[in-house]
Amino acid sequence: MSEVTKVNNKLYIDIAVPIFSEDNSIGAICARIDLEYLNDLMKSIEKDETIESFIVDKNGLFLTDSRHLPDAVGNLKIDLQRVKTSIDFSKTLAYKDYRGTDVYGCYFNVNDTGWTLIVQKDADSVKNKIKP
């Protein structure tokens, strides 16, 4: 279970995971993560201005910064199922991202969180590199 929380104008993600012993719940592990830490982590993935990486929750709500839209965290929502379906359908066909730009992408489910890491690259930059 995870939830975005705003405390003193700063966004955090609260995570709670139950602990089971056989069929009985015996407790939970809880953590509060500063979302700015996740933003720093995402920047290490972005090697040039045509690559964007971000994390969304199970509803498609941005948990990390958008390279292109300010204030996306906690406010911008994508159609996560459409993005995953587009990527699963074909790794060689571009799809429209939240900006309406053609991109190629991949996604990774973050275990036990309901989060998805999406990494995408502008299709135009890929096409320009493979032209003779």
Side-chain angles (χ1 to χ4, degrees):
M1 174 173 115
S2 63
E3 188 75 33
V4 176
T5 306
K6 192 173 196 175
V7 178
N8 295 329
N9 289 325
K10 198 167 184 178
L11 292 172
Y12 297 90
I13 187 82
D14 289 335
I15 301 171
V17 179
I19 300 171
F20 293 97
S21 176
E22 297 176 16
D23 291 335
N24 299 318
S25 174
I26 59 171
I29 297 176
C30 302
R32 177 168 280 175
I33 300 170
D34 182 342
L35 285 180
E36 287 190 28
Y37 169 76
L38 291 177
N39 289 326
D40 293 342
L41 184 63
M42 292 298 96
K43 288 176 187 166
S44 69
I45 296 172
E46 298 171 354
K47 299 298 182 195
D48 65 51
E49 67 277 353
T50 66
I51 296 174
E52 180 177 27
S53 62
F54 51 90
I55 297 175
V56 296
D57 71 5
K58 65 183 176 192
N59 299 312
L61 186 68
F62 271 64
L63 298 178
T64 59
D65 286 340
S66 159
R67 173 176 260 178
H68 305 285
L69 299 175
D71 301 323
V73 176
N75 296 314
L76 180 63
K77 189 174 178 182
I78 64 167
D79 184 342
L80 182 58
Q81 192 56 49
R82 184 189 62 78
V83 170
K84 285 182 171 184
T85 300
S86 296
I87 293 169
D88 290 344
F89 178 72
S90 174
K91 304 270 189 244
T92 61
L93 294 176
Y95 63 92
K96 299 264 187 221
D97 72 354
Y98 62 91
R99 301 169 293 153
T101 301
D102 285 337
V103 296
Y104 295 101
C106 59
Y107 70 89
F108 306 91
N109 294 317
V110 181
N111 291 343
D112 301 322
T113 63
W115 301 351
T116 303
L117 165 62
I118 298 173
V119 181
Q120 52 192 33
K121 182 168 182 69
D122 291 351
D124 286 345
S125 68
V126 174
K127 292 174 188 171
N128 290 338
K129 283 189 174 185
I130 58 175
K131 286 184 181 177

